[in-house]
Amino acid sequence: MNSKNSEANCAQEQRLLEEKKAKIREVRKLLEPVPEKLLLYCSDASIARYLRARNWNVKKAAKMLKETLKWRLEYKPEDIKWDEIAQEAETGKIYRSNCFDKHGRSILVMRPGRENSKSNKGKIRYLVYCMENAILNLQSDQEQMVWLIDFCGYNMSHISVKVTKETADVLQNHYPERLGLAILYNPPKFFEPFWQVVKPFLEPKTSRKVKFVYSDNQNSMKLMEDLFNMDELEQAFGGKNEAGFEIKEYAKRMRDDDKKMILYWSQGHNNTFVPAERSAMAEPSSSSLAISEMNSDESRQEGEDKSSSKQMLTNVDGKSIGDKQQVEQLSQEQK
């Protein structure tokens, strides 16, 4: 009896998988023709994210992805370089942590109390740069990130409905299914009514990923312990890591990543194939802490070949695409 149930479940899962594959193919047909440079965003994993964001509605997902492709052609997020947005980053208001959560997700640390710009355009452009960088550095089996938002120093002057709405629009419309979790750490009391104002800007699926955590609440701090290695987590979030944001060291990291971004996009531009569909197509759990089972074709391995003195980079399929010297040479050619 158990064997029959197991076979029935397997058959049902296979049917669902085939249905999802068919919907991915339908979306791809609706997108054609696609500029060669943007084929990377028409991979199975990418299309699946847009389908999940639109509850597997083919027409809605295709419309959403078309709008993103148009946005990427005009905005050119992959061309934003560190030196262009470095001034926005000086105070450490947003930066990528050099560690991951226990699920291998990139961590973006945000400190709205350190806002140093009056330009909404500059703020959004820096956010886009940070999103692209976090995606570039995702571990190979992951396609989502975590936002850690520290409210230290935050006051009423930092509240902006307009910027919050623009941030939500960019995140939801052009980076669907990229946010795994957003942790609001020690938000002040006056933030709660503001949250009720901006919450309607978010889709229900996104708002459910927002968690309030308070350092004096044992239950909410358990969430931090479950998600992060406390030895690696910054002290500001209850961890043991004493290192904080240091602009010179971070600038070096970002300039190195800019070189990797150039190589990544040159590979994407030259690759006209669409990666084979992967079997892990199952839709993620409804839990806000669930990890997507779809391997991302935009994910990268930031690996180092330990058998060689060269620092090797890999493409989206995990194959070597060159060492650091090649990256630097390509970077010079692009200037």
Side-chain angles (χ1 to χ4, degrees), residues 318-334:
K319 297 178 181 179
S320 174
I321 54 178
D323 59 37
K324 185 177 180 181
Q325 184 177 0
Q326 289 176 311
V327 176
E328 293 175 346
Q329 181 180 355
L330 180 59
S331 176
Q332 292 299 320
E333 293 173 354
Q334 294 285 332

Side-chain angles (χ1 to χ4, degrees), residues 82 121 124 127 141 180 219-220 228 233 239 243 257 295 300 311 324 330:
W82 168 257
K121 181 179 178 181
I124 297 301
L127 173 67
D141 60 346
N219 289 331
S220 64
F228 304 102
L233 188 66
D257 280 356
N295 284 340
R300 233 76 66 233
Q311 292 182 340
K324 185 177 180 181
L330 180 59

Side-chain angles (χ1 to χ4, degrees), residues 14 26 44 101 185 215 217 252:
Q14 185 62 33
E26 288 181 52
D44 292 342
D101 78 347
Y185 194 80
S215 57
N217 184 297
K252 183 180 182 301

